[in-house]
Amino acid sequence: MYNFILGTVLVISVLLIITIMMQPSKQNSAASAFTGGADQLFGKQKARGFEAVMKRATTVLGTIWMILLFVLVLLSSK
């Protein structure tokens, strides 16, 4: 069981890295590098389309990853 969960964690880790790298950049200009994107901090822009899917996938994969890591800790402590 431990080895199966460990393999699953490794696969999810790779998928999580891929989903993070595929997210679109929110910086549109060189000026946003100096402001740190503060102009969009309080904006009411909702994620749409591909951006929303990637955001949701990252959240789900991250949650599953953390839960499986806690299970691994419990299994290894016994």
Side-chain angles (χ1 to χ4, degrees):
M1 184 69 172
Y2 180 83
N3 289 332
F4 175 73
I5 294 176
L6 183 62
T8 306
V9 166
L10 291 174
V11 170
I12 290 176
S13 298
V14 171
L15 291 174
L16 193 57
I17 291 169
I18 291 170
T19 56
I20 290 170
M21 295 299 290
M22 287 181 63
Q23 289 185 0
S25 174
K26 293 187 186 231
Q27 296 181 351
N28 295 329
S29 66
S32 64
F34 297 113
T35 62
D39 55 338
Q40 295 179 358
L41 182 62
F42 298 107
K44 295 186 178 187
Q45 299 174 351
K46 286 187 122 182
R48 299 185 191 273
F50 180 71
E51 185 178 348
V53 170
M54 294 309 295
K55 193 175 199 181
R56 173 87 39 142
T58 304
T59 304
V60 169
L61 285 173
T63 304
I64 293 171
W65 185 75
M66 286 296 291
I67 290 170
L68 288 177
L69 287 177
F70 284 127
V71 170
L72 278 178
V73 168
L74 288 174
L75 287 176
S76 66
S77 66
K78 291 183 181 181

Coordinates of all heavy atoms in Angstrom, one line a residue:
M1 N 0.8 -1.2 0.0 CA 0.0 0.0 0.0 C 0.9 1.3 0.0 O 0.6 2.2 -0.7 CB -0.9 0.0 1.2 CG -1.9 1.1 1.3 SD -3.1 0.9 0.0 CE -4.2 2.1 0.4
Y2 N 1.9 1.2 0.8 CA 2.8 2.4 0.9 C 3.5 2.7 -0.5 O 3.5 3.8 -0.9 CB 3.9 2.1 2.0 CG 4.9 3.2 2.1 CD1 4.6 4.3 2.9 CD2 6.1 3.2 1.5 CE1 5.5 5.3 3.1 CE2 7.0 4.2 1.6 CZ 6.7 5.3 2.5 OH 7.6 6.3 2.6
N3 N 3.9 1.6 -1.1 CA 4.6 1.8 -2.4 C 3.6 2.3 -3.5 O 4.0 3.1 -4.4 CB 5.2 0.5 -2.9 CG 6.4 0.2 -2.1 OD1 7.1 1.0 -1.5 ND2 6.7 -1.1 -2.0
F4 N 2.4 1.9 -3.4 CA 1.4 2.4 -4.4 C 1.1 3.9 -4.2 O 1.0 4.6 -5.1 CB 0.1 1.6 -4.2 CG -1.1 2.1 -5.1 CD1 -1.1 1.9 -6.5 CD2 -2.1 2.8 -4.5 CE1 -2.1 2.4 -7.3 CE2 -3.1 3.3 -5.3 CZ -3.1 3.1 -6.7
I5 N 0.9 4.3 -2.9 CA 0.7 5.7 -2.6 C 1.9 6.5 -3.0 O 1.7 7.6 -3.5 CB 0.2 5.9 -1.2 CG1 -1.1 5.2 -0.9 CG2 0.1 7.3 -0.8 CD1 -1.6 5.2 0.5
L6 N 3.1 6.0 -2.7 CA 4.3 6.7 -3.1 C 4.4 6.9 -4.6 O 4.7 8.0 -5.1 CB 5.5 6.0 -2.6 CG 6.9 6.7 -2.8 CD1 6.9 8.0 -2.1 CD2 8.0 5.8 -2.3
G7 N 4.1 5.9 -5.4 CA 4.0 6.0 -6.8 C 3.0 7.0 -7.3 O 3.3 7.8 -8.2
T8 N 1.8 7.0 -6.7 CA 0.8 8.0 -7.0 C 1.2 9.4 -6.7 O 1.0 10.3 -7.5 CB -0.5 7.6 -6.2 OG1 -0.8 6.3 -6.5 CG2 -1.6 8.5 -6.7
V9 N 1.9 9.6 -5.6 CA 2.4 10.9 -5.2 C 3.4 11.4 -6.2 O 3.4 12.6 -6.6 CB 3.0 10.9 -3.8 CG1 3.8 12.2 -3.5 CG2 1.9 10.8 -2.7
L10 N 4.3 10.5 -6.7 CA 5.3 10.9 -7.7 C 4.6 11.3 -9.0 O 5.0 12.3 -9.6 CB 6.2 9.8 -8.0 CG 7.2 9.5 -6.8 CD1 8.0 8.3 -7.1 CD2 8.1 10.7 -6.5
V11 N 3.6 10.6 -9.4 CA 2.9 10.9 -10.7 C 2.1 12.2 -10.5 O 2.2 13.1 -11.4 CB 1.9 9.8 -11.1 CG1 1.0 10.2 -12.2 CG2 2.7 8.5 -11.4
I12 N 1.5 12.4 -9.4 CA 0.8 13.7 -9.2 C 1.7 14.9 -9.1 O 1.4 16.0 -9.5 CB -0.1 13.6 -7.9 CG1 -1.3 12.6 -8.2 CG2 -0.7 14.9 -7.5 CD1 -2.2 12.4 -7.0
S13 N 2.9 14.6 -8.5 CA 3.9 15.7 -8.5 C 4.3 16.2 -9.9 O 4.4 17.4 -10.1 CB 5.2 15.2 -7.7 OG 4.9 14.9 -6.4
V14 N 4.5 15.2 -10.8 CA 4.8 15.6 -12.1 C 3.7 16.3 -12.8 O 3.9 17.4 -13.5 CB 5.3 14.4 -13.0 CG1 5.4 14.7 -14.4 CG2 6.5 13.8 -12.4
L15 N 2.5 15.8 -12.6 CA 1.3 16.5 -13.2 C 1.1 17.9 -12.6 O 0.7 18.8 -13.3 CB 0.0 15.7 -12.9 CG -0.1 14.3 -13.7 CD1 -1.3 13.5 -13.3 CD2 -0.1 14.6 -15.2
L16 N 1.4 18.1 -11.3 CA 1.3 19.4 -10.7 C 2.3 20.3 -11.3 O 1.9 21.5 -11.5 CB 1.4 19.2 -9.2 CG 1.1 20.4 -8.3 CD1 -0.4 20.8 -8.5 CD2 1.3 20.0 -6.8
I17 N 3.5 19.9 -11.5 CA 4.5 20.8 -12.1 C 4.0 21.2 -13.5 O 4.2 22.3 -13.9 CB 5.8 20.1 -12.1 CG1 6.4 19.9 -10.7 CG2 6.8 20.8 -13.0 CD1 7.6 19.0 -10.6
I18 N 3.5 20.2 -14.3 CA 3.0 20.5 -15.6 C 1.9 21.5 -15.6 O 1.9 22.5 -16.4 CB 2.6 19.2 -16.4 CG1 3.9 18.4 -16.6 CG2 1.9 19.5 -17.7 CD1 3.6 17.0 -17.1
T19 N 0.9 21.4 -14.7 CA -0.2 22.3 -14.7 C 0.2 23.7 -14.2 O -0.3 24.7 -14.7 CB -1.3 21.8 -13.8 OG1 -0.8 21.6 -12.5 CG2 -2.0 20.5 -14.3
I20 N 1.2 23.8 -13.3 CA 1.7 25.1 -12.9 C 2.4 25.8 -14.0 O 2.2 27.0 -14.3 CB 2.6 24.9 -11.7 CG1 1.7 24.6 -10.5 CG2 3.3 26.2 -11.4 CD1 2.5 24.2 -9.2
M21 N 3.2 25.0 -14.8 CA 4.0 25.6 -15.9 C 3.1 26.0 -17.1 O 3.4 26.9 -17.8 CB 5.0 24.6 -16.4 CG 6.1 24.3 -15.3 SD 7.0 25.8 -14.8 CE 7.9 26.1 -16.3
M22 N 1.9 25.4 -17.2 CA 1.0 25.7 -18.3 C 0.1 26.9 -18.1 O -0.6 27.3 -19.0 CB 0.1 24.5 -18.7 CG 0.9 23.4 -19.4 SD -0.1 21.9 -19.8 CE -1.3 22.7 -20.9
Q23 N 0.1 27.4 -16.8 CA -0.8 28.5 -16.5 C -0.3 29.7 -17.3 O 0.9 30.0 -17.3 CB -0.9 28.7 -15.0 CG -1.6 27.7 -14.3 CD -1.8 28.0 -12.8 OE1 -1.3 29.0 -12.3 NE2 -2.4 27.1 -12.1
P24 N -1.3 30.5 -17.8 CA -0.9 31.7 -18.6 C -0.3 32.8 -17.6 O -0.7 32.9 -16.5 CB -2.1 32.1 -19.2 CG -3.2 31.5 -18.5 CD -2.7 30.3 -17.9
S25 N 0.6 33.5 -18.2 CA 1.2 34.6 -17.4 C 0.2 35.8 -17.3 O -0.5 36.1 -18.3 CB 2.5 35.1 -18.1 OG 3.0 36.2 -17.4
K26 N 0.2 36.5 -16.2 CA -0.7 37.6 -16.0 C 0.0 39.0 -16.3 O -0.6 40.0 -16.2 CB -1.3 37.6 -14.6 CG -2.2 36.4 -14.4 CD -2.9 36.5 -13.1 CE -3.7 35.3 -12.9 NZ -5.0 35.4 -12.6
Q27 N 1.3 38.9 -16.5 CA 2.1 40.2 -16.7 C 2.0 40.5 -18.2 O 2.4 39.7 -19.0 CB 3.5 40.0 -16.2 CG 3.6 39.8 -14.7 CD 5.0 39.7 -14.2 OE1 5.9 39.6 -15.0 NE2 5.2 39.7 -12.9
N28 N 1.6 41.7 -18.5 CA 1.4 42.1 -19.9 C 2.5 43.1 -20.3 O 2.6 43.3 -21.5 CB 0.0 42.7 -20.1 CG -1.1 41.7 -19.8 OD1 -0.9 40.5 -20.1 ND2 -2.2 42.1 -19.3
S29 N 3.2 43.7 -19.4 CA 4.1 44.7 -19.9 C 5.3 44.7 -19.0 O 5.4 44.1 -17.9 CB 3.5 46.1 -19.8 OG 3.2 46.5 -18.5
A30 N 6.4 45.5 -19.4 CA 7.6 45.6 -18.5 C 7.3 46.4 -17.3 O 8.0 46.2 -16.3 CB 8.7 46.2 -19.4
A31 N 6.3 47.3 -17.3 CA 6.0 48.1 -16.2 C 5.5 47.2 -15.0 O 5.6 47.5 -13.8 CB 5.0 49.2 -16.5
S32 N 4.8 46.1 -15.3 CA 4.2 45.3 -14.3 C 5.3 44.5 -13.5 O 5.1 44.1 -12.4 CB 3.2 44.3 -14.9 OG 3.9 43.4 -15.8
A33 N 6.5 44.5 -14.1 CA 7.6 43.9 -13.4 C 8.1 44.8 -12.2 O 8.5 44.3 -11.2 CB 8.8 43.6 -14.3
F34 N 7.9 46.1 -12.4 CA 8.3 47.0 -11.4 C 7.2 47.2 -10.3 O 7.5 47.4 -9.2 CB 8.7 48.4 -12.0 CG 9.9 48.3 -12.9 CD1 9.8 48.5 -14.2 CD2 11.1 48.0 -12.4 CE1 10.9 48.4 -15.1 CE2 12.2 47.9 -13.2 CZ 12.1 48.1 -14.5
T35 N 6.0 47.1 -10.7 CA 4.9 47.3 -9.8 C 4.5 46.0 -9.1 O 3.8 46.0 -8.1 CB 3.6 47.9 -10.5 OG1 3.2 46.9 -11.5 CG2 3.9 49.2 -11.1
G36 N 5.0 44.9 -9.6 CA 4.7 43.6 -9.0 C 3.3 43.1 -9.3 O 2.7 42.3 -8.7
G37 N 2.6 43.7 -10.3 CA 1.3 43.3 -10.7 C 0.2 43.9 -9.7 O -0.8 43.4 -9.6
A38 N 0.6 44.9 -8.9 CA -0.3 45.5 -7.9 C -1.6 46.1 -8.5 O -2.6 46.2 -7.9 CB 0.4 46.5 -7.1
D39 N -1.5 46.5 -9.8 CA -2.7 47.0 -10.4 C -3.8 46.0 -10.6 O -4.9 46.4 -10.7 CB -2.3 47.6 -11.8 CG -1.6 46.7 -12.7 OD1 -1.0 45.7 -12.2 OD2 -1.6 46.9 -13.9
Q40 N -3.4 44.7 -10.6 CA -4.5 43.7 -10.8 C -4.8 43.0 -9.5 O -5.6 42.1 -9.4 CB -4.0 42.6 -11.8 CG -3.8 43.2 -13.2 CD -3.3 42.1 -14.1 OE1 -3.1 41.0 -13.7 NE2 -3.2 42.4 -15.4
L41 N -4.2 43.5 -8.4 CA -4.4 42.8 -7.1 C -5.8 42.9 -6.7 O -6.4 41.9 -6.2 CB -3.5 43.4 -6.1 CG -3.5 42.8 -4.7 CD1 -3.1 41.4 -4.7 CD2 -2.6 43.6 -3.7
F42 N -6.4 44.0 -6.8 CA -7.8 44.2 -6.3 C -8.8 44.2 -7.5 O -10.0 44.6 -7.3 CB -8.0 45.4 -5.5 CG -7.1 45.4 -4.3 CD1 -6.0 46.2 -4.2 CD2 -7.4 44.6 -3.2 CE1 -5.2 46.1 -3.0 CE2 -6.6 44.5 -2.1 CZ -5.5 45.3 -2.0
G43 N -8.4 43.8 -8.6 CA -9.3 43.7 -9.8 C -10.3 42.6 -9.6 O -10.1 41.6 -9.0
K44 N -11.4 42.8 -10.2 CA -12.5 41.9 -10.1 C -12.6 41.0 -11.4 O -13.7 40.9 -12.0 CB -13.8 42.5 -9.9 CG -13.8 43.2 -8.5 CD -15.2 43.8 -8.2 CE -15.1 44.4 -6.8 NZ -16.4 44.8 -6.3
Q45 N -11.5 40.5 -11.9 CA -11.4 39.7 -13.1 C -11.6 38.3 -12.7 O -10.8 37.8 -11.9 CB -10.1 40.0 -13.8 CG -10.0 41.4 -14.3 CD -8.6 41.6 -14.9 OE1 -7.7 40.7 -14.9 NE2 -8.4 42.8 -15.5
K46 N -12.5 37.6 -13.2 CA -12.7 36.2 -13.0 C -12.0 35.4 -14.1 O -11.9 35.8 -15.2 CB -14.2 35.8 -13.1 CG -15.0 36.2 -11.9 CD -16.3 35.6 -12.0 CE -16.6 34.8 -10.8 NZ -17.9 34.1 -10.8
A47 N -11.4 34.3 -13.7 CA -10.7 33.4 -14.6 C -11.7 32.8 -15.6 O -12.8 32.4 -15.1 CB -9.9 32.4 -13.9
R48 N -11.4 32.8 -16.8 CA -12.3 32.2 -17.8 C -11.6 31.3 -18.7 O -10.4 31.4 -19.0 CB -13.0 33.3 -18.7 CG -13.8 34.3 -17.9 CD -14.4 35.3 -18.8 NE -15.0 36.4 -18.1 CZ -16.2 36.4 -17.6 NH1 -17.0 35.4 -17.7 NH2 -16.7 37.5 -16.9
G49 N -12.3 30.3 -19.2 CA -11.8 29.4 -20.2 C -10.6 28.5 -19.7 O -10.7 27.9 -18.7
F50 N -9.5 28.6 -20.5 CA -8.4 27.7 -20.2 C -7.8 28.1 -18.8 O -7.3 27.2 -18.1 CB -7.3 27.9 -21.3 CG -6.1 27.1 -21.1 CD1 -6.1 25.7 -21.3 CD2 -4.9 27.8 -20.8 CE1 -4.9 25.0 -21.1 CE2 -3.7 27.0 -20.6 CZ -3.7 25.7 -20.7
E51 N -7.7 29.4 -18.5 CA -7.2 29.8 -17.2 C -7.9 29.2 -16.1 O -7.4 28.8 -15.1 CB -7.1 31.3 -17.2 CG -6.5 31.9 -16.0 CD -6.4 33.4 -16.0 OE1 -6.7 34.0 -17.1 OE2 -6.1 34.0 -15.0
A52 N -9.3 29.2 -16.2 CA -10.1 28.7 -15.1 C -9.9 27.2 -14.9 O -9.8 26.7 -13.8 CB -11.6 29.0 -15.4
V53 N -9.7 26.5 -16.0 CA -9.5 25.0 -16.0 C -8.2 24.7 -15.3 O -8.1 23.8 -14.5 CB -9.6 24.4 -17.4 CG1 -9.1 23.0 -17.4 CG2 -11.0 24.5 -17.9
M54 N -7.1 25.5 -15.7 CA -5.8 25.2 -15.2 C -5.8 25.6 -13.7 O -5.1 24.9 -12.9 CB -4.8 26.0 -15.9 CG -4.6 25.6 -17.4 SD -4.3 23.8 -17.5 CE -2.8 23.6 -16.7
K55 N -6.5 26.6 -13.3 CA -6.5 27.0 -11.9 C -7.2 25.9 -11.0 O -6.7 25.5 -10.0 CB -7.3 28.3 -11.8 CG -7.2 29.0 -10.4 CD -7.9 30.4 -10.5 CE -7.4 31.3 -9.4 NZ -8.1 32.6 -9.5
R56 N -8.3 25.4 -11.6 CA -9.1 24.3 -10.9 C -8.2 23.1 -10.8 O -8.2 22.4 -9.8 CB -10.4 24.1 -11.6 CG -11.2 22.9 -11.1 CD -12.1 23.2 -10.0 NE -12.7 24.5 -10.1 CZ -14.0 24.8 -9.8 NH1 -14.7 23.8 -9.4 NH2 -14.4 26.0 -9.9
A57 N -7.5 22.7 -11.9 CA -6.7 21.5 -11.9 C -5.6 21.6 -10.9 O -5.2 20.6 -10.2 CB -6.2 21.3 -13.3
T58 N -5.0 22.8 -10.8 CA -3.9 23.0 -9.9 C -4.4 22.8 -8.5 O -3.7 22.2 -7.6 CB -3.2 24.3 -10.1 OG1 -2.8 24.5 -11.5 CG2 -2.0 24.5 -9.2
T59 N -5.5 23.4 -8.2 CA -6.1 23.3 -6.8 C -6.4 21.8 -6.5 O -6.1 21.4 -5.4 CB -7.4 24.1 -6.7 OG1 -7.0 25.5 -7.1 CG2 -7.9 24.1 -5.3
V60 N -7.0 21.1 -7.4 CA -7.4 19.7 -7.1 C -6.2 18.9 -7.0 O -6.1 18.1 -6.0 CB -8.4 19.2 -8.2 CG1 -8.6 17.7 -8.1 CG2 -9.7 19.9 -8.2
L61 N -5.2 19.0 -7.9 CA -4.0 18.2 -7.8 C -3.2 18.5 -6.5 O -2.7 17.6 -5.8 CB -3.1 18.4 -9.0 CG -3.6 17.7 -10.3 CD1 -2.7 18.1 -11.4 CD2 -3.6 16.2 -10.1
G62 N -3.2 19.7 -6.1 CA -2.5 20.1 -4.9 C -3.1 19.6 -3.7 O -2.4 19.1 -2.7
T63 N -4.4 19.6 -3.6 CA -5.2 19.0 -2.5 C -5.0 17.5 -2.4 O -4.7 17.0 -1.3 CB -6.7 19.4 -2.6 OG1 -6.8 20.8 -2.7 CG2 -7.4 18.9 -1.4
I64 N -5.1 16.8 -3.5 CA -4.9 15.4 -3.5 C -3.5 15.0 -3.1 O -3.2 14.1 -2.3 CB -5.2 14.8 -4.9 CG1 -6.7 14.9 -5.2 CG2 -4.8 13.3 -5.0 CD1 -7.1 14.6 -6.6
W65 N -2.5 15.8 -3.6 CA -1.1 15.6 -3.3 C -0.9 15.7 -1.7 O -0.2 14.9 -1.1 CB -0.3 16.6 -4.0 CG 1.2 16.5 -3.9 CD1 2.0 15.6 -4.5 CD2 2.1 17.4 -3.2 NE1 3.3 15.8 -4.2 CE2 3.4 16.9 -3.4 CE3 1.8 18.5 -2.4 CZ2 4.5 17.5 -2.9 CZ3 2.9 19.1 -1.9 CH2 4.2 18.6 -2.1
M66 N -1.4 16.8 -1.1 CA -1.3 17.0 0.3 C -1.9 15.9 1.1 O -1.3 15.4 2.1 CB -1.8 18.3 0.7 CG -1.0 19.5 0.3 SD 0.6 19.5 1.1 CE 0.2 19.8 2.8
I67 N -3.1 15.4 0.7 CA -3.8 14.4 1.4 C -3.0 13.1 1.4 O -2.8 12.4 2.4 CB -5.2 14.2 0.9 CG1 -6.1 15.4 1.3 CG2 -5.8 12.9 1.4 CD1 -7.4 15.4 0.6
L68 N -2.5 12.7 0.2 CA -1.7 11.5 0.0 C -0.4 11.6 0.8 O 0.1 10.6 1.4 CB -1.4 11.3 -1.4 CG -2.6 10.8 -2.3 CD1 -2.2 10.6 -3.7 CD2 -3.1 9.5 -1.7
L69 N 0.2 12.8 0.9 CA 1.4 12.9 1.7 C 1.1 12.7 3.2 O 1.9 12.1 3.9 CB 2.1 14.3 1.5 CG 2.7 14.5 0.2 CD1 3.3 15.9 0.0 CD2 3.9 13.5 0.0
F70 N 0.0 13.2 3.7 CA -0.4 12.9 5.1 C -0.6 11.4 5.3 O -0.3 10.9 6.4 CB -1.6 13.7 5.5 CG -1.3 15.2 5.7 CD1 -2.1 16.2 5.1 CD2 -0.3 15.6 6.6 CE1 -1.8 17.5 5.3 CE2 -0.1 16.9 6.8 CZ -0.8 17.9 6.2
V71 N -1.2 10.8 4.4 CA -1.4 9.3 4.5 C -0.1 8.6 4.5 O 0.1 7.6 5.3 CB -2.3 8.8 3.3 CG1 -2.4 7.3 3.3 CG2 -3.7 9.4 3.4
L72 N 0.8 9.0 3.7 CA 2.2 8.4 3.7 C 2.9 8.6 5.0 O 3.5 7.7 5.5 CB 3.1 9.0 2.6 CG 2.9 8.5 1.2 CD1 3.8 9.2 0.2 CD2 3.2 7.0 1.2
V73 N 2.7 9.8 5.6 CA 3.3 10.0 7.0 C 2.7 9.1 8.0 O 3.4 8.5 8.8 CB 3.1 11.5 7.4 CG1 3.4 11.7 8.8 CG2 4.0 12.4 6.5
L74 N 1.4 8.9 7.9 CA 0.7 8.0 8.9 C 1.1 6.5 8.7 O 1.3 5.8 9.6 CB -0.8 8.1 8.7 CG -1.4 9.4 9.3 CD1 -2.9 9.5 8.9 CD2 -1.2 9.5 10.8
L75 N 1.3 6.1 7.4 CA 1.7 4.8 7.1 C 3.1 4.5 7.5 O 3.5 3.4 8.0 CB 1.5 4.5 5.6 CG 0.1 4.3 5.2 CD1 0.1 4.0 3.7 CD2 -0.6 3.1 5.9
S76 N 4.0 5.5 7.4 CA 5.4 5.3 7.7 C 5.6 5.4 9.2 O 6.6 4.9 9.7 CB 6.3 6.3 7.0 OG 6.0 7.6 7.5
S77 N 4.7 6.0 10.0 CA 4.9 6.0 11.4 C 4.5 4.7 12.1 O 4.9 4.5 13.3 CB 4.1 7.2 12.0 OG 2.7 6.9 11.9
K78 N 3.8 3.9 11.4 CA 3.4 2.6 12.0 C 4.4 1.5 11.8 O 5.2 1.4 11.0 CB 2.1 2.2 11.5 CG 1.0 3.1 11.9 CD -0.4 2.6 11.4 CE -1.4 3.6 11.8 NZ -2.7 3.2 11.4

